[in-house]
Amino acid sequence: ISRGYWGWLMTIYKPLYDPSGKKVAFIGVDLDMNQAMSDINALYAKILSLECVIFSMMLAMIYTFITRQVIAPVKQLQGMLLYFREHREKQKDIAITTGDEFEELYKDISDSQDIILEDSTQLQDYLGIIQRMALQDELTGVKNHTAYENKVSELTAVITAGTAEFAILMADMNGLKFVHDVYGHEKGDIALKGMSKALCDIFEHSPVYRIGGDEFVVVLTGRDYMNRDALVKKLAPYERVRDRSAYEPWTEVAMAVGLSVYDPLADRS
């Protein structure tokens, strides 16, 4: 999903094969997402409004609680201390029973604070998990297309600053359609996981993204960028056509790979 001159679009690509099974072209379809994104933004606005209402109610409740349970006892205590100062000579022979309400109030507040802090910590943990899930491919565990778009924005900023130094590796699985058609999508999932693991094992210092059904991208920076030639050579055993006669062809890692190195003299994006 992207936003450009035509507004919000969802673009879907599918490969086109000839009768021999050779991939000859890609078919692309653009779907209008303007209404959907408008509905999503409207939903976010409603959620934000609801959060504001809830927050206001919580503030009102906290203010009421503090007024009744803290300010009033403190004023009462101040009045008692003032009375004691004014009549300290008379109080020598008089026993005053006040209870310890302020101490109990302090304990209640402390207990409530501990609970609030604990809940806040759990909420932060949950938000972290949700954020990771939003940027993670559910099947393979690598980063997803949304995370890749974020990375593209990050790289664009680095290019604009004139400090970019990276390479892009694209890997496309060979024979996934064959595995799906003959052995089912469950075995296809195993094949995708195997390919993902191979890429992660080789490029252990670089983020791996699943940007499509069987398409993966690796952004090489730092150590992996400097050693890119040696690392790409490690992919050579996997650059092959899937053996359809194998006993379990879905366990075979088979892919097509391409690498492009950013050239500041020629590239602008």
Side-chain angles (χ1 to χ4, degrees):
I1 299 177
S2 62
R3 186 179 187 182
Y5 178 79
W6 299 104
W8 286 100
L9 293 175
M10 174 185 287
T11 306
I12 303 174
Y13 295 99
K14 291 292 183 181
L16 182 66
Y17 300 89
D18 63 14
S20 66
K22 180 181 178 182
K23 187 187 300 179
V24 296
F26 283 89
I27 298 176
V29 178
D30 285 337
L31 303 178
D32 187 352
M33 292 291 290
N34 285 306
Q35 184 59 45
M37 296 307 295
S38 176
D39 292 342
I40 290 174
N41 291 334
L43 177 60
Y44 286 159
K46 291 180 180 178
I47 293 175
L48 181 60
S49 299
L50 180 60
E51 289 177 344
C52 291
V53 172
I54 294 175
F55 182 70
S56 299
M57 293 175 62
M58 290 180 63
L59 286 179
M61 293 174 61
I62 293 173
Y63 176 77
T64 301
F65 174 82
I66 293 176
T67 301
R68 293 180 178 178
Q69 304 298 327
V70 178
I71 297 178
V74 167
K75 288 184 177 180
Q76 183 180 2
L77 181 59
Q78 288 176 337
M80 292 169 58
L81 293 174
L82 180 59
Y83 178 84
F84 177 75
R85 285 196 298 269
E86 292 176 350
H87 303 83
R88 55 184 177 275
E89 295 300 330
K90 299 179 180 179
Q91 296 295 322
K92 291 181 179 179
D93 299 329
I94 302 175
I96 299 177
T97 304
T98 64
D100 206 355
E101 297 176 359
F102 191 70
E103 181 179 352
E104 291 298 323
L105 176 62
Y106 174 78
K107 291 180 179 179
D108 290 341
I109 294 176
S110 298
D111 293 341
S112 299
Q113 181 180 357
D114 292 339
I115 295 173
I116 292 172
L117 290 175
E118 182 179 354
D119 290 344
S120 176
T121 302
Q122 291 180 354
L123 180 59
Q124 290 295 330
D125 292 340
Y126 292 150
L127 290 175
I129 293 173
I130 291 172
Q131 185 176 19
R132 288 193 296 272
M133 290 175 63
L135 300 177
Q136 186 179 53
D137 179 59
E138 183 178 359
L139 175 65
T140 61
V142 300
K143 299 180 183 297
N144 61 15
H145 190 276
T146 301
Y148 176 66
E149 291 294 337
N150 293 342
K151 187 64 176 181
V152 169
S153 299
E154 177 185 324
L155 291 175
T156 300
V158 177
I159 290 172
T160 303
T163 58
E165 190 177 58
F166 66 94
I168 300 291
L169 181 135
M170 186 167 186
D172 184 280
M173 179 180 290
N174 291 331
L176 179 61
K177 184 177 184 299
F178 161 74
V179 174
H180 279 167
D181 293 346
V182 178
Y183 298 99
H185 285 266
E186 182 180 351
K187 295 299 188 291
D189 290 347
I190 296 176
L192 287 168
K193 291 178 182 178
M195 178 172 171
S196 171
K197 184 178 187 303
L199 292 172
C200 291
D201 288 345
I202 293 175
F203 302 100
E204 56 181 333
H205 302 293
S206 299
V208 178
Y209 305 86
R210 184 187 177 196
I211 63 170
D214 60 353
E215 298 173 345
F216 293 80
V217 165
V218 186
V219 179
L220 280 68
T221 57
R223 186 186 309 177
D224 284 356
Y225 174 79
M226 300 302 297
N227 299 324
R228 58 187 180 277
D229 293 335
L231 294 175
V232 171
K233 287 181 180 179
K234 293 183 179 182
L235 289 173
Y238 303 130
E239 295 185 78
R240 57 191 174 189
V241 177
R242 189 175 301 280
D243 184 2
R244 300 191 176 195
S245 63
Y247 175 66
E248 294 181 342
W250 60 85
T251 61
E252 182 182 44
V253 178
M255 67 180 83
V257 176
L259 178 73
S260 179
V261 179
Y262 171 72
D263 181 0
L265 300 180
D267 300 326
R268 293 294 175 267
S269 62

